[in-house]
Amino acid sequence: EDSQQTFLVENSNQRTHSDWIHVALNDGLAKNKWKISDLTHIAIDRGPGSFTGVRVGFNLAKTLSYALGTYLWSISSLE
């Protein structure tokens, strides 16, 4: 809100991204008392990073952006 980061979730275990990402999203939404339909913008880190982790994150972000009709930004963790 107001150009502030609302919530950030990271996972250092590269082997669990696909199992973990949906739980992390639900936890973040619950902590802010939001529904998935409340999302208006989505940002994703495009790397560098674990190939599978970045791919799983992009898949979820693109799917949500398309389904919700929201804005999607990608940023580099090097910037």
Side-chain angles (χ1 to χ4, degrees), residues 5 8-10 43-51 53-54 58 73-79:
Q5 176 178 294
L8 169 71
V9 183
E10 297 176 295
I44 184 78
D45 183 351
R46 67 176 176 258
S50 156
F51 174 76
V54 171
F58 256 96
W73 286 280
S74 69
I75 57 172
S76 169
S77 57
L78 298 176
E79 293 178 6

Side-chain angles (χ1 to χ4, degrees), residues 4 10 16 18 23-24 26-27 29 32 40 52 54-55 58-59 66 69-70 75 79:
Q4 297 288 324
E10 297 176 295
T16 64
S18 60
V23 173
N26 287 333
D27 288 349
L29 292 171
N32 286 285
T40 59
T52 300
V54 171
R55 190 180 67 197
F58 256 96
N59 186 40
Y66 179 77
T70 63
I75 57 172
E79 293 178 6

Side-chain angles (χ1 to χ4, degrees), residues 34-53:
W34 291 348
K35 298 176 289 190
I36 197 98
S37 61
D38 293 330
L39 296 178
T40 59
H41 298 75
I42 298 171
I44 184 78
D45 183 351
R46 67 176 176 258
S50 156
F51 174 76
T52 300

